[in-house]
């Protein structure tokens, strides 16, 4: 990578880091992140790495994802405390942007790497969620690293198997999807059975640790991971037997069209250019194949699609890279680097000034209107949450932020130790309970 492109990439990484930390200035209400935070916290408190739990009345055995997915969070809490979690996960996302740039630069030159990093690092779905405890930061890092090993002129199948295994342990089959699509695409474009055999062997090796864990659990353990993760979660998504997720067959394509910005037009240009540029064809085919495969399960979530975003960014950068190489004369390179440096500086100024709050939802009632009343409630206190449906956001806020123990219930308890409860506005408040606060469709009651 020439010096100007290297400095430009550093500026893009600084810009990405400013965007990643921007939401930290506001209050983040993210149900998934709150669930994972409580589960990781319980892992540390229980001294376990495998027997995961959320709340006594909500997922007392947490089997929604493999336990390895939350090992980075649990290890971070053990070593540095919960306050370091967001920083560790932001570094994983930043590393993914760097790996994406490296892959694109090997395909189409150093400025292709800069463009790929810019496409991924400025994508709102990446930077807004990349600095919090979600499965995507480690998933994207390991899955993209596996792709990079497979796209080397002489593929490193050992590295691909290692990173692929880490990706599968993080999010099951979604972790292997980009690698598998790249292997199929490159084997097709290179007309190489040897490549297909090597990639298939690496893919099977990547799945072996997760499969071994699940089989040991089924035949020699309690079987809760096999029944909960494989039976309920994976087969539930595949067949639609679970209520979790959206029953929209082409939803992943809508996610890409609506969220992969500003790089979508460059990715489309890359698909067109791949007709005549053989360097782009493996990634271009993989960028078509992976979203289509994501449409196969009967139910989907939007974040399932994010694993494809680094591939799309690589294609975006590789598509515009040659044109940038031709257009950026030495004088123009200096202007481009200065421009990126100024943008990165402005991003840090705006980030530190709290502009990241603009992309966040308003804080929920737990952290705003009801905060004074909840300040006197001791951690570990059971708090009934009264509603006819599961109120994930309120439950997550109470458990993660307040360290309370929410108890979902259709009616207020008439007896028991509970002294404070939440109820939807309109629920019948009777007996010893009295309303002490009300806001945005919720009431806080005390006994």
């Amino acid at each position: 990578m020439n010096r100007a492109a290297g400095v430009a990439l550093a500026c893009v990484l600084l810009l990405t880091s400013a965007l990643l930390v921007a939401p930290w200035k506001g209050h983040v209400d993210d149900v998934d992140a709150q669930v994972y935070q409580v589960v990781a916290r319980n892992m540390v408190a229980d001294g376990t790495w495998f027997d995961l739990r959320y709340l006594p009345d909500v997922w007392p055995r947490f089997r929604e994802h493999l336990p390895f997915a939350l090992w980075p969070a649990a290890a971070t809490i053990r070593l540095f405390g919960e306050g370091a979690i967001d920083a560790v996960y932001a570094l994983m996302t930043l590393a993914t942007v760097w790996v994406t740039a490296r892959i694109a630069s090997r395909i189409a030159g150093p400025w292709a790497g800069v463009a790929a990093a810019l496409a991924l690092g400025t994508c709102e779905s990446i930077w807004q969620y990349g600095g919090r405890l979600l499965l995507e930061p480690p998933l994207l890092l390991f899955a993209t690293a596996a792709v990079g090993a497979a796209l080397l002129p002489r593929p490193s199948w050992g590295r691909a198997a290692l990173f692929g295994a880490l990706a599968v342990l993080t999010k099951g089959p979604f972790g292997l999807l980009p690698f598998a699509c790249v292997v199929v695409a490159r084997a097709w474009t290179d007309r190489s059975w040897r490549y297909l055999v090597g990639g298939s062997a690496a893919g099977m090796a990547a799945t072996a640790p997760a499969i071994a864990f699940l089989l040991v659990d089924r035949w020699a353990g309690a079987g809760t991971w096999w029944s909960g993760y494989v039976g309920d979660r994976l087969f539930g998504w595949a067949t639609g037997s679970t209520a979790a997720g959206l029953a929209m067959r082409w939803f992943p394509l809508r996610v890409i069209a609506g969220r992969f910005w500003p790089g979508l037009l460059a990715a489309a240009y890359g698909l067109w250019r791949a007709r005549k540029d053989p360097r782009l064809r493996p990634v271009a085919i993989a960028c078509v194949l992976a979203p289509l495969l994501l449409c196969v399960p009967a139910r989907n979530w939007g974040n399932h699609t994010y694993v494809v975003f680094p591939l799309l960014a690589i294609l975006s950068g590789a598509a515009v890279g040659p044109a940038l190489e031709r257009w950026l004369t030495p004088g123009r390179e200096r202007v481009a680097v200065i421009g990126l440096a100024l943008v990165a500086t402005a991003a840090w100024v705006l980030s530190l000034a709290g502009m990241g709050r603009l992309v966040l939802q308003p804080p929920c009632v737990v952290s705003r209107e009801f905060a004074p009343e909840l300040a006197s409630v001791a951690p570990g206190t059971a708090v009934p949450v009264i509603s006819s449906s599961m109120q994930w956001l309120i439950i997550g806020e109470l458990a993660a932020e307040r360290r309370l123990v929410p108890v979902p219930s259709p009616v207020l308890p008439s007896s028991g130790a509970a002294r404070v409860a939440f109820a939807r506005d309109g629920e019948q408040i009777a007996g010893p309970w009295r309303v002490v606060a009300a806001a945005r469709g919720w009431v806080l009651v005390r006994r």
Side-chain angles (χ1 to χ4, degrees), residues 344-378:
T345 302
W348 269 106
V349 171
L350 294 173
S351 177
L352 295 175
M355 295 299 288
R357 297 188 185 94
L358 298 178
V359 301
L360 301 175
Q361 296 295 324
C364 75
V365 293
V366 172
S367 55
R368 180 177 284 179
E369 289 91 345
F370 295 165
E373 289 289 339
L374 291 172
S376 60
V377 182

PDB file of all heavy atoms in Angstrom, residues 344-378:
ATOM      1  N   ALA A 344     -12.540  13.224   9.433  1.00  0.00           N
ATOM      2  CA  ALA A 344     -12.351  12.433  10.654  1.00  0.00           C
ATOM      3  C   ALA A 344     -12.290  13.334  11.881  1.00  0.00           C
ATOM      4  O   ALA A 344     -12.861  13.019  12.936  1.00  0.00           O
ATOM      5  CB  ALA A 344     -11.083  11.593  10.537  1.00  0.00           C
ATOM      6  N   THR A 345     -11.593  14.462  11.756  1.00  0.00           N
ATOM      7  CA  THR A 345     -11.512  15.406  12.869  1.00  0.00           C
ATOM      8  C   THR A 345     -12.888  15.964  13.221  1.00  0.00           C
ATOM      9  O   THR A 345     -13.276  16.033  14.394  1.00  0.00           O
ATOM     10  CB  THR A 345     -10.560  16.559  12.514  1.00  0.00           C
ATOM     11  OG1 THR A 345      -9.267  16.028  12.203  1.00  0.00           O
ATOM     12  CG2 THR A 345     -10.443  17.535  13.675  1.00  0.00           C
ATOM     13  N   ALA A 346     -13.647  16.355  12.183  1.00  0.00           N
ATOM     14  CA  ALA A 346     -14.996  16.874  12.425  1.00  0.00           C
ATOM     15  C   ALA A 346     -15.884  15.812  13.066  1.00  0.00           C
ATOM     16  O   ALA A 346     -16.701  16.121  13.949  1.00  0.00           O
ATOM     17  CB  ALA A 346     -15.605  17.348  11.103  1.00  0.00           C
ATOM     18  N   ALA A 347     -15.725  14.556  12.637  1.00  0.00           N
ATOM     19  CA  ALA A 347     -16.528  13.477  13.212  1.00  0.00           C
ATOM     20  C   ALA A 347     -16.229  13.309  14.694  1.00  0.00           C
ATOM     21  O   ALA A 347     -17.139  13.101  15.507  1.00  0.00           O
ATOM     22  CB  ALA A 347     -16.262  12.170  12.462  1.00  0.00           C
ATOM     23  N   TRP A 348     -14.959  13.403  15.071  1.00  0.00           N
ATOM     24  CA  TRP A 348     -14.608  13.292  16.488  1.00  0.00           C
ATOM     25  C   TRP A 348     -15.159  14.464  17.288  1.00  0.00           C
ATOM     26  O   TRP A 348     -15.646  14.288  18.413  1.00  0.00           O
ATOM     27  CB  TRP A 348     -13.091  13.198  16.648  1.00  0.00           C
ATOM     28  CG  TRP A 348     -12.609  11.783  16.649  1.00  0.00           C
ATOM     29  CD1 TRP A 348     -11.945  11.125  15.660  1.00  0.00           C
ATOM     30  CD2 TRP A 348     -12.785  10.832  17.708  1.00  0.00           C
ATOM     31  NE1 TRP A 348     -11.695   9.835  16.020  1.00  0.00           N
ATOM     32  CE2 TRP A 348     -12.191   9.624  17.285  1.00  0.00           C
ATOM     33  CE3 TRP A 348     -13.376  10.888  18.967  1.00  0.00           C
ATOM     34  CZ2 TRP A 348     -12.182   8.476  18.081  1.00  0.00           C
ATOM     35  CZ3 TRP A 348     -13.372   9.746  19.771  1.00  0.00           C
ATOM     36  CH2 TRP A 348     -12.779   8.563  19.331  1.00  0.00           C
ATOM     37  N   VAL A 349     -15.092  15.658  16.723  1.00  0.00           N
ATOM     38  CA  VAL A 349     -15.637  16.833  17.429  1.00  0.00           C
ATOM     39  C   VAL A 349     -17.135  16.664  17.659  1.00  0.00           C
ATOM     40  O   VAL A 349     -17.653  16.868  18.767  1.00  0.00           O
ATOM     41  CB  VAL A 349     -15.343  18.121  16.632  1.00  0.00           C
ATOM     42  CG1 VAL A 349     -16.091  19.310  17.235  1.00  0.00           C
ATOM     43  CG2 VAL A 349     -13.841  18.406  16.617  1.00  0.00           C
ATOM     44  N   LEU A 350     -17.859  16.258  16.606  1.00  0.00           N
ATOM     45  CA  LEU A 350     -19.309  16.073  16.737  1.00  0.00           C
ATOM     46  C   LEU A 350     -19.639  14.917  17.670  1.00  0.00           C
ATOM     47  O   LEU A 350     -20.605  14.979  18.441  1.00  0.00           O
ATOM     48  CB  LEU A 350     -19.922  15.838  15.359  1.00  0.00           C
ATOM     49  CG  LEU A 350     -19.851  17.017  14.380  1.00  0.00           C
ATOM     50  CD1 LEU A 350     -20.346  16.599  12.998  1.00  0.00           C
ATOM     51  CD2 LEU A 350     -20.674  18.187  14.907  1.00  0.00           C
ATOM     52  N   SER A 351     -18.834  13.862  17.609  1.00  0.00           N
ATOM     53  CA  SER A 351     -19.067  12.710  18.478  1.00  0.00           C
ATOM     54  C   SER A 351     -18.906  13.085  19.938  1.00  0.00           C
ATOM     55  O   SER A 351     -19.755  12.765  20.783  1.00  0.00           O
ATOM     56  CB  SER A 351     -18.113  11.569  18.110  1.00  0.00           C
ATOM     57  OG  SER A 351     -18.271  10.471  18.982  1.00  0.00           O
ATOM     58  N   LEU A 352     -17.816  13.789  20.267  1.00  0.00           N
ATOM     59  CA  LEU A 352     -17.574  14.195  21.649  1.00  0.00           C
ATOM     60  C   LEU A 352     -18.587  15.233  22.120  1.00  0.00           C
ATOM     61  O   LEU A 352     -18.837  15.367  23.320  1.00  0.00           O
ATOM     62  CB  LEU A 352     -16.153  14.739  21.786  1.00  0.00           C
ATOM     63  CG  LEU A 352     -15.036  13.716  21.542  1.00  0.00           C
ATOM     64  CD1 LEU A 352     -13.666  14.390  21.586  1.00  0.00           C
ATOM     65  CD2 LEU A 352     -15.105  12.586  22.577  1.00  0.00           C
ATOM     66  N   ALA A 353     -19.180  15.955  21.163  1.00  0.00           N
ATOM     67  CA  ALA A 353     -20.198  16.948  21.518  1.00  0.00           C
ATOM     68  C   ALA A 353     -21.567  16.323  21.764  1.00  0.00           C
ATOM     69  O   ALA A 353     -22.507  17.020  22.151  1.00  0.00           O
ATOM     70  CB  ALA A 353     -20.304  17.994  20.407  1.00  0.00           C
ATOM     71  N   GLY A 354     -21.678  14.999  21.526  1.00  0.00           N
ATOM     72  CA  GLY A 354     -22.926  14.307  21.828  1.00  0.00           C
ATOM     73  C   GLY A 354     -23.892  14.198  20.676  1.00  0.00           C
ATOM     74  O   GLY A 354     -25.071  13.878  20.887  1.00  0.00           O
ATOM     75  N   MET A 355     -23.427  14.407  19.438  1.00  0.00           N
ATOM     76  CA  MET A 355     -24.337  14.335  18.305  1.00  0.00           C
ATOM     77  C   MET A 355     -24.837  12.918  18.046  1.00  0.00           C
ATOM     78  O   MET A 355     -25.826  12.723  17.341  1.00  0.00           O
ATOM     79  CB  MET A 355     -23.638  14.873  17.047  1.00  0.00           C
ATOM     80  CG  MET A 355     -23.285  16.352  17.127  1.00  0.00           C
ATOM     81  SD  MET A 355     -24.748  17.400  17.345  1.00  0.00           S
ATOM     82  CE  MET A 355     -25.472  17.267  15.720  1.00  0.00           C
ATOM     83  N   GLY A 356     -24.169  11.919  18.627  1.00  0.00           N
ATOM     84  CA  GLY A 356     -24.623  10.540  18.463  1.00  0.00           C
ATOM     85  C   GLY A 356     -26.010  10.299  19.023  1.00  0.00           C
ATOM     86  O   GLY A 356     -26.682   9.327  18.654  1.00  0.00           O
ATOM     87  N   ARG A 357     -26.460  11.177  19.922  1.00  0.00           N
ATOM     88  CA  ARG A 357     -27.816  11.018  20.478  1.00  0.00           C
ATOM     89  C   ARG A 357     -28.888  11.109  19.403  1.00  0.00           C
ATOM     90  O   ARG A 357     -29.997  10.591  19.578  1.00  0.00           O
ATOM     91  CB  ARG A 357     -28.078  12.102  21.527  1.00  0.00           C
ATOM     92  CG  ARG A 357     -27.174  12.060  22.746  1.00  0.00           C
ATOM     93  CD  ARG A 357     -27.659  13.052  23.797  1.00  0.00           C
ATOM     94  NE  ARG A 357     -26.764  13.143  24.935  1.00  0.00           N
ATOM     95  CZ  ARG A 357     -25.804  14.034  25.058  1.00  0.00           C
ATOM     96  NH1 ARG A 357     -25.608  14.931  24.090  1.00  0.00           N
ATOM     97  NH2 ARG A 357     -25.020  14.061  26.124  1.00  0.00           N
ATOM     98  N   LEU A 358     -28.578  11.767  18.290  1.00  0.00           N
ATOM     99  CA  LEU A 358     -29.575  11.986  17.248  1.00  0.00           C
ATOM    100  C   LEU A 358     -30.009  10.684  16.584  1.00  0.00           C
ATOM    101  O   LEU A 358     -31.096  10.624  15.990  1.00  0.00           O
ATOM    102  CB  LEU A 358     -29.028  12.948  16.192  1.00  0.00           C
ATOM    103  CG  LEU A 358     -28.690  14.365  16.693  1.00  0.00           C
ATOM    104  CD1 LEU A 358     -28.117  15.198  15.557  1.00  0.00           C
ATOM    105  CD2 LEU A 358     -29.922  15.038  17.290  1.00  0.00           C
ATOM    106  N   VAL A 359     -29.181   9.638  16.635  1.00  0.00           N
ATOM    107  CA  VAL A 359     -29.535   8.374  15.989  1.00  0.00           C
ATOM    108  C   VAL A 359     -30.175   7.401  16.974  1.00  0.00           C
ATOM    109  O   VAL A 359     -30.524   6.287  16.596  1.00  0.00           O
ATOM    110  CB  VAL A 359     -28.302   7.714  15.348  1.00  0.00           C
ATOM    111  CG1 VAL A 359     -27.677   8.629  14.306  1.00  0.00           C
ATOM    112  CG2 VAL A 359     -27.265   7.304  16.389  1.00  0.00           C
ATOM    113  N   LEU A 360     -30.325   7.802  18.226  1.00  0.00           N
ATOM    114  CA  LEU A 360     -30.869   6.910  19.251  1.00  0.00           C
ATOM    115  C   LEU A 360     -32.333   7.208  19.521  1.00  0.00           C
ATOM    116  O   LEU A 360     -32.796   8.340  19.356  1.00  0.00           O
ATOM    117  CB  LEU A 360     -30.068   7.059  20.557  1.00  0.00           C
ATOM    118  CG  LEU A 360     -28.573   6.750  20.476  1.00  0.00           C
ATOM    119  CD1 LEU A 360     -27.909   7.052  21.807  1.00  0.00           C
ATOM    120  CD2 LEU A 360     -28.337   5.294  20.087  1.00  0.00           C
ATOM    121  N   GLN A 361     -33.040   6.172  19.941  1.00  0.00           N
ATOM    122  CA  GLN A 361     -34.413   6.361  20.377  1.00  0.00           C
ATOM    123  C   GLN A 361     -34.420   7.086  21.723  1.00  0.00           C
ATOM    124  O   GLN A 361     -33.451   7.007  22.488  1.00  0.00           O
ATOM    125  CB  GLN A 361     -35.109   5.000  20.530  1.00  0.00           C
ATOM    126  CG  GLN A 361     -35.255   4.227  19.235  1.00  0.00           C
ATOM    127  CD  GLN A 361     -36.169   4.923  18.253  1.00  0.00           C
ATOM    128  OE1 GLN A 361     -37.157   5.539  18.630  1.00  0.00           O
ATOM    129  NE2 GLN A 361     -35.848   4.812  16.963  1.00  0.00           N
ATOM    130  N   PRO A 362     -35.489   7.827  22.060  1.00  0.00           N
ATOM    131  CA  PRO A 362     -35.549   8.467  23.378  1.00  0.00           C
ATOM    132  C   PRO A 362     -35.425   7.430  24.492  1.00  0.00           C
ATOM    133  O   PRO A 362     -35.915   6.310  24.349  1.00  0.00           O
ATOM    134  CB  PRO A 362     -36.943   9.124  23.382  1.00  0.00           C
ATOM    135  CG  PRO A 362     -37.301   9.264  21.940  1.00  0.00           C
ATOM    136  CD  PRO A 362     -36.673   8.108  21.235  1.00  0.00           C
ATOM    137  N   PRO A 363     -34.758   7.765  25.597  1.00  0.00           N
ATOM    138  CA  PRO A 363     -34.618   6.811  26.700  1.00  0.00           C
ATOM    139  C   PRO A 363     -35.978   6.342  27.192  1.00  0.00           C
ATOM    140  O   PRO A 363     -36.954   7.106  27.215  1.00  0.00           O
ATOM    141  CB  PRO A 363     -33.882   7.616  27.778  1.00  0.00           C
ATOM    142  CG  PRO A 363     -33.190   8.713  27.038  1.00  0.00           C
ATOM    143  CD  PRO A 363     -34.073   9.035  25.869  1.00  0.00           C
ATOM    144  N   CYS A 364     -36.052   5.077  27.603  1.00  0.00           N
ATOM    145  CA  CYS A 364     -37.317   4.547  28.082  1.00  0.00           C
ATOM    146  C   CYS A 364     -37.612   5.088  29.483  1.00  0.00           C
ATOM    147  O   CYS A 364     -36.769   5.731  30.116  1.00  0.00           O
ATOM    148  CB  CYS A 364     -37.300   3.019  28.089  1.00  0.00           C
ATOM    149  SG  CYS A 364     -36.346   2.315  29.435  1.00  0.00           S
ATOM    150  N   VAL A 365     -38.812   4.808  29.968  1.00  0.00           N
ATOM    151  CA  VAL A 365     -39.261   5.391  31.243  1.00  0.00           C
ATOM    152  C   VAL A 365     -38.416   4.932  32.423  1.00  0.00           C
ATOM    153  O   VAL A 365     -38.319   5.629  33.438  1.00  0.00           O
ATOM    154  CB  VAL A 365     -40.741   5.057  31.491  1.00  0.00           C
ATOM    155  CG1 VAL A 365     -41.629   5.744  30.473  1.00  0.00           C
ATOM    156  CG2 VAL A 365     -40.975   3.540  31.469  1.00  0.00           C
ATOM    157  N   VAL A 366     -37.791   3.757  32.322  1.00  0.00           N
ATOM    158  CA  VAL A 366     -36.971   3.249  33.431  1.00  0.00           C
ATOM    159  C   VAL A 366     -35.790   4.171  33.695  1.00  0.00           C
ATOM    160  O   VAL A 366     -35.423   4.435  34.848  1.00  0.00           O
ATOM    161  CB  VAL A 366     -36.490   1.819  33.128  1.00  0.00           C
ATOM    162  CG1 VAL A 366     -35.482   1.352  34.178  1.00  0.00           C
ATOM    163  CG2 VAL A 366     -37.664   0.861  33.076  1.00  0.00           C
ATOM    164  N   SER A 367     -35.184   4.669  32.635  1.00  0.00           N
ATOM    165  CA  SER A 367     -33.984   5.485  32.795  1.00  0.00           C
ATOM    166  C   SER A 367     -34.275   6.979  32.848  1.00  0.00           C
ATOM    167  O   SER A 367     -33.373   7.769  33.114  1.00  0.00           O
ATOM    168  CB  SER A 367     -33.016   5.209  31.644  1.00  0.00           C
ATOM    169  OG  SER A 367     -33.648   5.422  30.404  1.00  0.00           O
ATOM    170  N   ARG A 368     -35.536   7.369  32.636  1.00  0.00           N
ATOM    171  CA  ARG A 368     -35.838   8.802  32.661  1.00  0.00           C
ATOM    172  C   ARG A 368     -36.913   9.118  33.709  1.00  0.00           C
ATOM    173  O   ARG A 368     -36.600   9.465  34.843  1.00  0.00           O
ATOM    174  CB  ARG A 368     -36.278   9.283  31.276  1.00  0.00           C
ATOM    175  CG  ARG A 368     -36.611  10.759  31.225  1.00  0.00           C
ATOM    176  CD  ARG A 368     -36.970  11.225  29.815  1.00  0.00           C
ATOM    177  NE  ARG A 368     -35.786  11.367  28.961  1.00  0.00           N
ATOM    178  CZ  ARG A 368     -35.848  11.746  27.684  1.00  0.00           C
ATOM    179  NH1 ARG A 368     -37.027  11.965  27.113  1.00  0.00           N
ATOM    180  NH2 ARG A 368     -34.743  11.895  26.975  1.00  0.00           N
ATOM    181  N   GLU A 369     -38.167   8.967  33.375  1.00  0.00           N
ATOM    182  CA  GLU A 369     -39.243   9.422  34.261  1.00  0.00           C
ATOM    183  C   GLU A 369     -39.284   8.671  35.599  1.00  0.00           C
ATOM    184  O   GLU A 369     -39.564   9.255  36.641  1.00  0.00           O
ATOM    185  CB  GLU A 369     -40.602   9.282  33.558  1.00  0.00           C
ATOM    186  CG  GLU A 369     -40.815  10.275  32.420  1.00  0.00           C
ATOM    187  CD  GLU A 369     -40.352   9.730  31.089  1.00  0.00           C
ATOM    188  OE1 GLU A 369     -39.602   8.710  31.085  1.00  0.00           O
ATOM    189  OE2 GLU A 369     -40.719  10.314  30.049  1.00  0.00           O
ATOM    190  N   PHE A 370     -39.014   7.368  35.570  1.00  0.00           N
ATOM    191  CA  PHE A 370     -39.145   6.576  36.791  1.00  0.00           C
ATOM    192  C   PHE A 370     -37.823   6.407  37.532  1.00  0.00           C
ATOM    193  O   PHE A 370     -37.774   5.740  38.566  1.00  0.00           O
ATOM    194  CB  PHE A 370     -39.703   5.188  36.467  1.00  0.00           C
ATOM    195  CG  PHE A 370     -41.106   5.212  35.917  1.00  0.00           C
ATOM    196  CD1 PHE A 370     -41.632   4.099  35.284  1.00  0.00           C
ATOM    197  CD2 PHE A 370     -41.899   6.341  36.023  1.00  0.00           C
ATOM    198  CE1 PHE A 370     -42.926   4.120  34.778  1.00  0.00           C
ATOM    199  CE2 PHE A 370     -43.188   6.371  35.511  1.00  0.00           C
ATOM    200  CZ  PHE A 370     -43.705   5.254  34.884  1.00  0.00           C
ATOM    201  N   ALA A 371     -36.751   7.009  37.018  1.00  0.00           N
ATOM    202  CA  ALA A 371     -35.438   6.829  37.640  1.00  0.00           C
ATOM    203  C   ALA A 371     -35.398   7.279  39.099  1.00  0.00           C
ATOM    204  O   ALA A 371     -34.820   6.588  39.950  1.00  0.00           O
ATOM    205  CB  ALA A 371     -34.371   7.555  36.820  1.00  0.00           C
ATOM    206  N   PRO A 372     -35.978   8.437  39.463  1.00  0.00           N
ATOM    207  CA  PRO A 372     -35.920   8.835  40.879  1.00  0.00           C
ATOM    208  C   PRO A 372     -36.597   7.833  41.806  1.00  0.00           C
ATOM    209  O   PRO A 372     -36.080   7.539  42.897  1.00  0.00           O
ATOM    210  CB  PRO A 372     -36.644  10.186  40.890  1.00  0.00           C
ATOM    211  CG  PRO A 372     -36.509  10.712  39.500  1.00  0.00           C
ATOM    212  CD  PRO A 372     -36.578   9.506  38.630  1.00  0.00           C
ATOM    213  N   GLU A 373     -37.742   7.300  41.417  1.00  0.00           N
ATOM    214  CA  GLU A 373     -38.435   6.333  42.263  1.00  0.00           C
ATOM    215  C   GLU A 373     -37.674   5.019  42.379  1.00  0.00           C
ATOM    216  O   GLU A 373     -37.698   4.358  43.408  1.00  0.00           O
ATOM    217  CB  GLU A 373     -39.839   6.064  41.699  1.00  0.00           C
ATOM    218  CG  GLU A 373     -40.808   7.221  41.866  1.00  0.00           C
ATOM    219  CD  GLU A 373     -41.234   7.409  43.311  1.00  0.00           C
ATOM    220  OE1 GLU A 373     -41.113   6.458  44.099  1.00  0.00           O
ATOM    221  OE2 GLU A 373     -41.684   8.524  43.646  1.00  0.00           O
ATOM    222  N   LEU A 374     -36.979   4.628  41.298  1.00  0.00           N
ATOM    223  CA  LEU A 374     -36.256   3.355  41.299  1.00  0.00           C
ATOM    224  C   LEU A 374     -34.909   3.447  42.004  1.00  0.00           C
ATOM    225  O   LEU A 374     -34.306   2.413  42.303  1.00  0.00           O
ATOM    226  CB  LEU A 374     -36.047   2.880  39.862  1.00  0.00           C
ATOM    227  CG  LEU A 374     -37.311   2.434  39.117  1.00  0.00           C
ATOM    228  CD1 LEU A 374     -36.998   2.187  37.645  1.00  0.00           C
ATOM    229  CD2 LEU A 374     -37.882   1.177  39.762  1.00  0.00           C
ATOM    230  N   ALA A 375     -34.435   4.663  42.267  1.00  0.00           N
ATOM    231  CA  ALA A 375     -33.119   4.823  42.884  1.00  0.00           C
ATOM    232  C   ALA A 375     -33.042   4.163  44.259  1.00  0.00           C
ATOM    233  O   ALA A 375     -31.968   3.722  44.691  1.00  0.00           O
ATOM    234  CB  ALA A 375     -32.769   6.300  42.992  1.00  0.00           C
ATOM    235  N   SER A 376     -34.178   4.081  44.942  1.00  0.00           N
ATOM    236  CA  SER A 376     -34.171   3.510  46.290  1.00  0.00           C
ATOM    237  C   SER A 376     -34.428   2.007  46.319  1.00  0.00           C
ATOM    238  O   SER A 376     -34.419   1.390  47.382  1.00  0.00           O
ATOM    239  CB  SER A 376     -35.245   4.204  47.145  1.00  0.00           C
ATOM    240  OG  SER A 376     -36.535   4.022  46.582  1.00  0.00           O
ATOM    241  N   VAL A 377     -34.658   1.405  45.147  1.00  0.00           N
ATOM    242  CA  VAL A 377     -34.928  -0.029  45.077  1.00  0.00           C
ATOM    243  C   VAL A 377     -33.596  -0.776  44.998  1.00  0.00           C
ATOM    244  O   VAL A 377     -32.794  -0.530  44.098  1.00  0.00           O
ATOM    245  CB  VAL A 377     -35.811  -0.379  43.872  1.00  0.00           C
ATOM    246  CG1 VAL A 377     -36.118  -1.875  43.844  1.00  0.00           C
ATOM    247  CG2 VAL A 377     -37.104   0.432  43.911  1.00  0.00           C
ATOM    248  N   ALA A 378     -33.358  -1.693  45.915  1.00  0.00           N
ATOM    249  CA  ALA A 378     -32.076  -2.382  46.008  1.00  0.00           C
ATOM    250  C   ALA A 378     -31.885  -3.349  44.843  1.00  0.00           C
ATOM    251  O   ALA A 378     -32.849  -3.988  44.396  1.00  0.00           O
ATOM    252  CB  ALA A 378     -31.996  -3.143  47.321  1.00  0.00           C
TER     253      ALA A 378
END
